[in-house]
Amino acid sequence: MRKILLIVFLLNLLVCVPSYSFELFNKTPKAQLKSTIRQYHKAIKNQDIEKIKTFYDEEYKSMDGFDLAQSMEMLEKTYSVYKDIKYKTKINSINMDEQWALVQMSDRSYAKIYPIEDKDLKKEKMGKLEGKSVYNVYLKKINNEWKIASDDILMEETSLKYGIANKIDMNLITPYRVKAGQDYDLSLRIEKPKDVIALASISREEIVYPPSDYKEKFRKIPEFGELERVVKANNKNLDEYAVASVGLTKISMNEEQTKARIEVLGLAYLMKRVNLDRTRTNGEILVGK
């Protein structure tokens, strides 16, 4: 169950990269870009995969190495699980000339999941997905239209919480950027009630598609302090996700004090992107890795 949720969770992070086709209007270049972004959001709102696909250059490849077919497959899977997913997007900056454009944007995403059909328990067991990211979108002019050629995610983090986890503050602390092969520290802080036991695992995962399977080792989070782990960055030139899985439980005894009952009160999955430090040539757009 956890593996399925985590794969879907990871897919949602991977598809937060936007997709655009910038048609020319009788407007200033920046106005043309903003107008088409509104068209893009309409396609996203309608979850129209075929329309969204037209916003890409056929040779599109993300900085994570995903091509157009892979990106559309991930987006389709995201829509199939998060049917009510919503996005809020902000344009941070636009730089462009006659042939190329660079748009930096910020996204926030929201969705709800109902894992059971019982109407009385739906709200209590509901899962909430929240994410945010900052990314660069690179576009080139093809046949008098702007098409997205690549994109580069600068920052992203996502959480998926169930039950009482939605009411508990959790913070996965990671570095923003590391060097290939470098050791780095991951830590998890949770502000939980005293009568709740928290078990958690922390790991790192390379950003690939389909996602790799990683074995988890759950440990009890100390009453005071935080759970920490030192990991090593890969040497494959791949960016990574830091991942924390959390289970919140409560143990109670029957009246005769002969049997213990373990109740699962909540679950949480937290992810933060950790980018590898790369040297890039000024003005060069690096596609793939």
Side-chain angles (χ1 to χ4, degrees):
M1 176 64 179
R2 181 262 165 193
K3 180 182 175 183
I4 295 174
L5 285 172
L6 190 54
I7 289 176
V8 172
F9 186 43
L10 180 58
L11 289 173
N12 182 74
L13 288 173
L14 294 175
V15 299
C16 69
V17 182
S19 52
Y20 305 89
S21 167
F22 292 80
E23 300 172 358
L24 294 178
F25 299 87
N26 188 22
K27 301 176 181 178
T28 66
K30 283 190 177 182
Q32 293 166 7
L33 293 181
K34 291 180 179 180
S35 176
T36 308
I37 287 173
R38 288 193 291 270
Q39 296 179 44
Y40 159 76
H41 283 298
K42 183 177 180 180
I44 288 290
K45 182 179 179 181
N46 295 333
Q47 299 189 6
D48 187 343
I49 297 292
E50 291 305 314
K51 179 65 175 177
I52 294 171
K53 194 183 299 185
T54 65
F55 296 123
Y56 284 89
D57 175 14
E58 292 181 356
E59 297 180 357
Y60 160 86
K61 182 167 281 191
S62 73
M63 292 292 183
D64 286 323
F66 305 125
D67 61 24
L68 179 57
Q70 290 172 320
S71 297
M72 290 299 99
E73 183 178 344
M74 289 186 286
L75 186 58
E76 234 175 325
K77 289 184 178 180
T78 297
Y79 284 156
S80 69
V81 176
Y82 303 110
K83 300 183 187 304
D84 69 338
I85 191 166
K86 296 178 175 62
Y87 299 93
K88 290 184 179 179
T89 305
K90 175 186 175 184
I91 298 175
N92 299 328
S93 63
I94 296 176
N95 294 284
M96 59 192 304
D97 58 24
E98 292 182 359
Q99 295 298 323
W100 288 94
L102 167 61
V103 182
Q104 186 183 97
M105 307 187 72
S106 300
D107 261 0
R108 285 187 175 270
S109 55
Y110 309 86
K112 296 178 182 179
I113 295 181
Y114 299 93
I116 57 177
E117 296 300 327
D118 191 323
K119 293 182 179 180
D120 294 331
L121 294 176
K122 257 189 172 184
K123 188 173 182 180
E124 179 185 348
K125 301 296 183 180
M126 179 184 69
K128 290 183 181 179
L129 176 81
E130 294 185 2
K132 61 181 179 180
S133 62
V134 179
Y135 48 86
N136 288 331
V137 181
Y138 302 95
L139 306 104
K140 64 179 179 179
K141 189 177 289 185
I142 302 174
N143 296 329
N144 214 32
E145 290 184 339
W146 288 101
K147 299 277 186 175
I148 183 168
S150 186
D151 42 55
D152 191 10
I153 303 176
L154 307 178
M155 179 282 293
E156 64 177 329
E157 57 182 83
T158 306
S159 66
L160 176 58
K161 297 180 178 181
Y162 291 90
I164 68 168
N166 285 301
K167 301 177 181 179
I168 294 178
D169 289 333
M170 303 180 187
N171 189 13
L172 178 59
I173 303 169
T174 73
Y176 168 72
R177 190 177 294 275
V178 297
K179 294 181 179 180
Q182 174 186 341
D183 289 340
Y184 64 95
D185 183 71
L186 304 176
S187 60
L188 176 66
R189 295 176 184 171
I190 298 180
E191 299 292 333
K192 64 176 184 61
K194 290 184 179 180
D195 60 341
V196 172
I197 297 173
L199 302 175
S201 73
I202 306 176
S203 63
R204 52 155 285 276
E205 302 183 1
E206 295 159 11
I207 301 179
V208 295
Y209 184 76
S212 300
D213 187 24
Y214 287 80
K215 294 183 178 180
E216 294 181 301
K217 294 183 179 179
F218 282 85
R219 296 176 181 146
K220 182 179 178 181
I221 297 179
E223 291 297 324
F224 302 99
E226 58 193 42
L227 187 65
E228 292 185 277
R229 183 180 176 187
V230 177
V231 298
K232 182 183 289 290
N234 72 87
N235 283 304
K236 305 173 187 175
N237 208 28
L238 295 171
D239 293 327
E240 301 183 346
Y241 286 125
V243 183
S245 301
V246 183
L248 301 168
T249 65
K250 189 174 184 178
I251 300 177
S252 57
M253 300 292 293
N254 61 1
E255 293 183 2
E256 293 78 17
Q257 299 292 307
T258 57
K259 291 184 179 179
R261 178 172 180 265
I262 300 177
E263 182 181 3
V264 178
L265 303 176
L267 297 169
Y269 305 102
L270 311 177
M271 280 189 177
K272 281 190 177 181
R273 186 181 183 96
V274 180
N275 285 330
L276 259 65
D277 190 8
R278 300 181 184 86
T279 302
R280 302 187 178 183
T281 305
N282 290 336
E284 182 181 4
I285 296 178
L286 302 183
V287 179
K289 295 179 219 172

CSV table of all heavy atoms in Angstrom, one decimal, residues 72-107:
chain,number,residue,atom,x,y,z
A,72,MET,N,3.6,13.0,-20.3
A,72,MET,CA,2.2,12.9,-20.4
A,72,MET,C,1.7,11.6,-19.7
A,72,MET,O,0.6,11.7,-19.1
A,72,MET,CB,1.8,12.8,-21.9
A,72,MET,CG,2.1,14.1,-22.7
A,72,MET,SD,1.0,15.4,-22.1
A,72,MET,CE,2.3,16.3,-21.0
A,73,GLU,N,2.5,10.6,-19.7
A,73,GLU,CA,2.0,9.4,-18.9
A,73,GLU,C,2.0,9.7,-17.4
A,73,GLU,O,1.0,9.2,-16.7
A,73,GLU,CB,3.0,8.2,-19.2
A,73,GLU,CG,2.6,6.9,-18.5
A,73,GLU,CD,3.6,5.8,-18.8
A,73,GLU,OE1,4.4,5.9,-19.7
A,73,GLU,OE2,3.6,4.8,-18.1
A,74,MET,N,2.9,10.4,-16.9
A,74,MET,CA,2.9,10.8,-15.5
A,74,MET,C,1.7,11.7,-15.2
A,74,MET,O,1.1,11.5,-14.1
A,74,MET,CB,4.2,11.4,-15.1
A,74,MET,CG,5.4,10.4,-15.1
A,74,MET,SD,6.9,11.2,-14.5
A,74,MET,CE,7.4,12.2,-15.9
A,75,LEU,N,1.5,12.6,-16.1
A,75,LEU,CA,0.3,13.5,-15.8
A,75,LEU,C,-1.0,12.8,-15.8
A,75,LEU,O,-1.9,13.0,-15.0
A,75,LEU,CB,0.3,14.6,-16.9
A,75,LEU,CG,-0.7,15.7,-16.8
A,75,LEU,CD1,-0.5,16.5,-15.4
A,75,LEU,CD2,-0.6,16.7,-17.9
A,76,GLU,N,-1.1,11.8,-16.8
A,76,GLU,CA,-2.3,11.0,-16.8
A,76,GLU,C,-2.6,10.2,-15.5
A,76,GLU,O,-3.7,10.2,-15.0
A,76,GLU,CB,-2.3,10.1,-18.0
A,76,GLU,CG,-3.4,10.2,-19.0
A,76,GLU,CD,-3.3,9.3,-20.2
A,76,GLU,OE1,-2.2,9.2,-20.7
A,76,GLU,OE2,-4.3,8.8,-20.7
A,77,LYS,N,-1.5,9.7,-15.0
A,77,LYS,CA,-1.6,8.9,-13.8
A,77,LYS,C,-2.0,9.8,-12.6
A,77,LYS,O,-2.7,9.4,-11.7
A,77,LYS,CB,-0.3,8.1,-13.5
A,77,LYS,CG,-0.1,7.0,-14.5
A,77,LYS,CD,1.1,6.2,-14.2
A,77,LYS,CE,1.3,5.0,-15.1
A,77,LYS,NZ,2.5,4.2,-14.8
A,78,THR,N,-1.4,11.0,-12.6
A,78,THR,CA,-1.7,11.9,-11.5
A,78,THR,C,-3.2,12.3,-11.6
A,78,THR,O,-3.9,12.3,-10.5
A,78,THR,CB,-0.9,13.2,-11.7
A,78,THR,OG1,0.5,12.9,-11.6
A,78,THR,CG2,-1.3,14.2,-10.6
A,79,TYR,N,-3.8,12.6,-12.8
A,79,TYR,CA,-5.2,12.9,-12.9
A,79,TYR,C,-6.1,11.7,-12.5
A,79,TYR,O,-7.2,11.9,-11.9
A,79,TYR,CB,-5.5,13.3,-14.3
A,79,TYR,CG,-5.0,14.7,-14.7
A,79,TYR,CD1,-4.8,15.1,-16.0
A,79,TYR,CD2,-4.8,15.7,-13.7
A,79,TYR,CE1,-4.4,16.4,-16.3
A,79,TYR,CE2,-4.4,17.0,-14.0
A,79,TYR,CZ,-4.2,17.3,-15.3
A,79,TYR,OH,-3.8,18.6,-15.6
A,80,SER,N,-5.6,10.5,-12.7
A,80,SER,CA,-6.5,9.3,-12.4
A,80,SER,C,-6.6,9.1,-10.9
A,80,SER,O,-7.6,8.6,-10.4
A,80,SER,CB,-5.9,8.1,-13.1
A,80,SER,OG,-4.7,7.7,-12.4
A,81,VAL,N,-5.6,9.6,-10.1
A,81,VAL,CA,-5.6,9.4,-8.7
A,81,VAL,C,-6.1,10.7,-8.0
A,81,VAL,O,-7.0,10.6,-7.1
A,81,VAL,CB,-4.2,9.1,-8.2
A,81,VAL,CG1,-4.2,9.0,-6.6
A,81,VAL,CG2,-3.7,7.7,-8.7
A,82,TYR,N,-5.6,11.8,-8.4
A,82,TYR,CA,-6.0,13.1,-7.8
A,82,TYR,C,-7.0,13.8,-8.8
A,82,TYR,O,-6.7,14.7,-9.5
A,82,TYR,CB,-4.8,14.0,-7.6
A,82,TYR,CG,-3.8,13.4,-6.7
A,82,TYR,CD1,-2.5,13.0,-7.2
A,82,TYR,CD2,-4.0,13.2,-5.3
A,82,TYR,CE1,-1.6,12.4,-6.4
A,82,TYR,CE2,-3.1,12.6,-4.5
A,82,TYR,CZ,-1.8,12.2,-5.1
A,82,TYR,OH,-0.9,11.6,-4.3
A,83,LYS,N,-8.2,13.3,-8.8
A,83,LYS,CA,-9.2,13.8,-9.7
A,83,LYS,C,-9.6,15.3,-9.5
A,83,LYS,O,-10.0,16.0,-10.4
A,83,LYS,CB,-10.5,12.9,-9.7
A,83,LYS,CG,-10.2,11.5,-10.0
A,83,LYS,CD,-11.5,10.7,-10.0
A,83,LYS,CE,-11.2,9.2,-10.1
A,83,LYS,NZ,-10.4,8.8,-11.3
A,84,ASP,N,-9.4,15.8,-8.3
A,84,ASP,CA,-9.8,17.2,-8.0
A,84,ASP,C,-8.6,18.1,-7.8
A,84,ASP,O,-8.7,19.1,-7.2
A,84,ASP,CB,-10.7,17.2,-6.8
A,84,ASP,CG,-9.9,16.9,-5.5
A,84,ASP,OD1,-8.9,16.2,-5.6
A,84,ASP,OD2,-10.4,17.3,-4.4
A,85,ILE,N,-7.4,17.6,-8.3
A,85,ILE,CA,-6.2,18.4,-8.1
A,85,ILE,C,-6.3,19.8,-8.7
A,85,ILE,O,-6.9,20.0,-9.7
A,85,ILE,CB,-5.0,17.7,-8.6
A,85,ILE,CG1,-3.7,18.4,-8.1
A,85,ILE,CG2,-5.0,17.6,-10.1
A,85,ILE,CD1,-2.4,17.5,-8.3
A,86,LYS,N,-5.9,20.8,-7.9
A,86,LYS,CA,-5.9,22.2,-8.3
A,86,LYS,C,-4.5,22.8,-8.2
A,86,LYS,O,-3.7,22.4,-7.3
A,86,LYS,CB,-6.9,22.9,-7.5
A,86,LYS,CG,-8.4,22.5,-7.6
A,86,LYS,CD,-9.3,23.2,-6.7
A,86,LYS,CE,-10.8,22.9,-7.0
A,86,LYS,NZ,-11.0,21.4,-6.7
A,87,TYR,N,-4.3,23.8,-9.1
A,87,TYR,CA,-3.0,24.5,-9.1
A,87,TYR,C,-3.2,26.0,-9.0
A,87,TYR,O,-4.1,26.5,-9.6
A,87,TYR,CB,-2.2,24.2,-10.4
A,87,TYR,CG,-1.9,22.7,-10.6
A,87,TYR,CD1,-2.7,21.9,-11.4
A,87,TYR,CD2,-0.7,22.2,-10.1
A,87,TYR,CE1,-2.4,20.6,-11.6
A,87,TYR,CE2,-0.4,20.8,-10.3
A,87,TYR,CZ,-1.3,20.0,-11.1
A,87,TYR,OH,-1.0,18.7,-11.3
A,88,LYS,N,-2.3,26.6,-8.3
A,88,LYS,CA,-2.2,28.1,-8.3
A,88,LYS,C,-0.8,28.4,-8.8
A,88,LYS,O,0.2,28.0,-8.2
A,88,LYS,CB,-2.5,28.7,-6.9
A,88,LYS,CG,-3.9,28.5,-6.5
A,88,LYS,CD,-4.1,29.2,-5.1
A,88,LYS,CE,-5.5,29.1,-4.7
A,88,LYS,NZ,-5.8,29.7,-3.3
A,89,THR,N,-0.7,29.2,-9.8
A,89,THR,CA,0.6,29.5,-10.5
A,89,THR,C,0.8,31.0,-10.5
A,89,THR,O,-0.1,31.8,-10.7
A,89,THR,CB,0.6,29.0,-11.9
A,89,THR,OG1,0.3,27.6,-11.9
A,89,THR,CG2,2.0,29.2,-12.5
A,90,LYS,N,2.1,31.4,-10.2
A,90,LYS,CA,2.5,32.8,-10.3
A,90,LYS,C,3.7,32.9,-11.2
A,90,LYS,O,4.6,32.1,-11.1
A,90,LYS,CB,2.9,33.3,-8.9
A,90,LYS,CG,3.4,34.7,-8.8
A,90,LYS,CD,3.9,35.0,-7.4
A,90,LYS,CE,4.6,36.4,-7.3
A,90,LYS,NZ,5.1,36.6,-6.0
A,91,ILE,N,3.7,33.9,-12.1
A,91,ILE,CA,4.8,34.2,-12.9
A,91,ILE,C,5.8,35.1,-12.1
A,91,ILE,O,5.4,36.2,-11.7
A,91,ILE,CB,4.4,34.9,-14.2
A,91,ILE,CG1,3.5,34.0,-15.0
A,91,ILE,CG2,5.6,35.3,-15.0
A,91,ILE,CD1,2.9,34.7,-16.3
A,92,ASN,N,7.0,34.7,-11.9
A,92,ASN,CA,8.0,35.5,-11.2
A,92,ASN,C,8.8,36.4,-12.1
A,92,ASN,O,9.1,37.5,-11.7
A,92,ASN,CB,9.0,34.5,-10.5
A,92,ASN,CG,8.3,33.6,-9.4
A,92,ASN,OD1,7.3,34.0,-8.9
A,92,ASN,ND2,8.8,32.4,-9.3
A,93,SER,N,9.1,35.9,-13.3
A,93,SER,CA,9.9,36.7,-14.2
A,93,SER,C,9.8,36.2,-15.7
A,93,SER,O,9.5,35.0,-15.8
A,93,SER,CB,11.3,36.8,-13.8
A,93,SER,OG,12.0,35.6,-13.9
A,94,ILE,N,10.0,37.1,-16.7
A,94,ILE,CA,10.0,36.7,-18.1
A,94,ILE,C,11.2,37.4,-18.7
A,94,ILE,O,11.3,38.6,-18.6
A,94,ILE,CB,8.7,37.1,-18.8
A,94,ILE,CG1,7.5,36.3,-18.2
A,94,ILE,CG2,8.8,36.8,-20.3
A,94,ILE,CD1,6.1,36.7,-18.8
A,95,ASN,N,12.0,36.6,-19.4
A,95,ASN,CA,13.1,37.1,-20.2
A,95,ASN,C,13.0,36.4,-21.6
A,95,ASN,O,12.9,35.2,-21.7
A,95,ASN,CB,14.4,36.8,-19.5
A,95,ASN,CG,14.6,37.5,-18.2
A,95,ASN,OD1,14.9,38.7,-18.2
A,95,ASN,ND2,14.4,36.7,-17.1
A,96,MET,N,13.1,37.2,-22.6
A,96,MET,CA,13.0,36.7,-23.9
A,96,MET,C,13.7,37.5,-25.0
A,96,MET,O,14.0,38.7,-24.8
A,96,MET,CB,11.5,36.6,-24.3
A,96,MET,CG,10.7,37.9,-24.2
A,96,MET,SD,8.9,37.6,-24.3
A,96,MET,CE,8.7,36.7,-25.8
A,97,ASP,N,14.0,36.9,-26.1
A,97,ASP,CA,14.4,37.6,-27.3
A,97,ASP,C,13.6,37.0,-28.5
A,97,ASP,O,12.5,36.4,-28.3
A,97,ASP,CB,15.9,37.4,-27.6
A,97,ASP,CG,16.4,36.0,-27.7
A,97,ASP,OD1,15.5,35.1,-28.1
A,97,ASP,OD2,17.6,35.7,-27.4
A,98,GLU,N,14.1,37.1,-29.7
A,98,GLU,CA,13.2,36.7,-30.9
A,98,GLU,C,13.1,35.2,-31.0
A,98,GLU,O,12.1,34.7,-31.6
A,98,GLU,CB,13.9,37.3,-32.2
A,98,GLU,CG,13.8,38.8,-32.3
A,98,GLU,CD,14.3,39.3,-33.6
A,98,GLU,OE1,14.8,38.5,-34.4
A,98,GLU,OE2,14.3,40.5,-33.8
A,99,GLN,N,14.0,34.4,-30.5
A,99,GLN,CA,14.0,33.0,-30.7
A,99,GLN,C,13.8,32.2,-29.4
A,99,GLN,O,13.4,31.0,-29.4
A,99,GLN,CB,15.3,32.5,-31.4
A,99,GLN,CG,15.4,33.1,-32.8
A,99,GLN,CD,14.3,32.6,-33.7
A,99,GLN,OE1,13.9,31.5,-33.6
A,99,GLN,NE2,13.9,33.5,-34.6
A,100,TRP,N,14.2,32.8,-28.2
A,100,TRP,CA,14.1,32.0,-27.0
A,100,TRP,C,13.4,32.8,-25.9
A,100,TRP,O,13.4,34.0,-25.9
A,100,TRP,CB,15.6,31.7,-26.5
A,100,TRP,CG,16.2,30.6,-27.3
A,100,TRP,CD1,17.1,30.8,-28.4
A,100,TRP,CD2,16.1,29.2,-27.2
A,100,TRP,NE1,17.5,29.6,-28.9
A,100,TRP,CE2,16.9,28.6,-28.2
A,100,TRP,CE3,15.4,28.4,-26.3
A,100,TRP,CZ2,17.0,27.2,-28.3
A,100,TRP,CZ3,15.5,27.0,-26.4
A,100,TRP,CH2,16.3,26.4,-27.4
A,101,ALA,N,12.9,32.1,-25.0
A,101,ALA,CA,12.2,32.7,-23.8
A,101,ALA,C,12.5,31.9,-22.6
A,101,ALA,O,12.6,30.7,-22.6
A,101,ALA,CB,10.7,32.9,-24.0
A,102,LEU,N,12.6,32.6,-21.4
A,102,LEU,CA,12.8,31.9,-20.1
A,102,LEU,C,11.8,32.5,-19.2
A,102,LEU,O,11.7,33.7,-19.0
A,102,LEU,CB,14.2,32.2,-19.6
A,102,LEU,CG,14.5,31.8,-18.1
A,102,LEU,CD1,14.2,30.3,-17.9
A,102,LEU,CD2,15.9,32.2,-17.7
A,103,VAL,N,10.9,31.7,-18.7
A,103,VAL,CA,9.9,32.1,-17.7
A,103,VAL,C,10.1,31.4,-16.4
A,103,VAL,O,10.2,30.1,-16.4
A,103,VAL,CB,8.5,31.8,-18.2
A,103,VAL,CG1,7.4,32.2,-17.3
A,103,VAL,CG2,8.2,32.4,-19.6
A,104,GLN,N,10.3,32.1,-15.3
A,104,GLN,CA,10.4,31.5,-14.0
A,104,GLN,C,9.0,31.6,-13.3
A,104,GLN,O,8.4,32.7,-13.3
A,104,GLN,CB,11.4,32.2,-13.1
A,104,GLN,CG,11.6,31.4,-11.8
A,104,GLN,CD,12.6,32.1,-10.9
A,104,GLN,OE1,12.2,32.8,-9.9
A,104,GLN,NE2,13.9,31.8,-11.0
A,105,MET,N,8.5,30.5,-12.8
A,105,MET,CA,7.2,30.4,-12.2
A,105,MET,C,7.2,29.7,-10.8
A,105,MET,O,8.2,29.0,-10.5
A,105,MET,CB,6.2,29.7,-13.1
A,105,MET,CG,6.2,30.3,-14.5
A,105,MET,SD,5.0,29.5,-15.6
A,105,MET,CE,3.5,30.3,-14.9
A,106,SER,N,6.2,30.0,-10.1
A,106,SER,CA,6.0,29.3,-8.8
A,106,SER,C,4.6,28.6,-8.8
A,106,SER,O,3.6,29.2,-9.3
A,106,SER,CB,6.0,30.3,-7.6
A,106,SER,OG,7.3,30.9,-7.5
A,107,ASP,N,4.5,27.4,-8.3
A,107,ASP,CA,3.3,26.6,-8.3
A,107,ASP,C,2.9,26.2,-6.9
A,107,ASP,O,3.8,25.9,-6.1
A,107,ASP,CB,3.4,25.3,-9.1
A,107,ASP,CG,2.8,25.5,-10.5
A,107,ASP,OD1,2.3,26.5,-10.8
A,107,ASP,OD2,2.9,24.5,-11.3
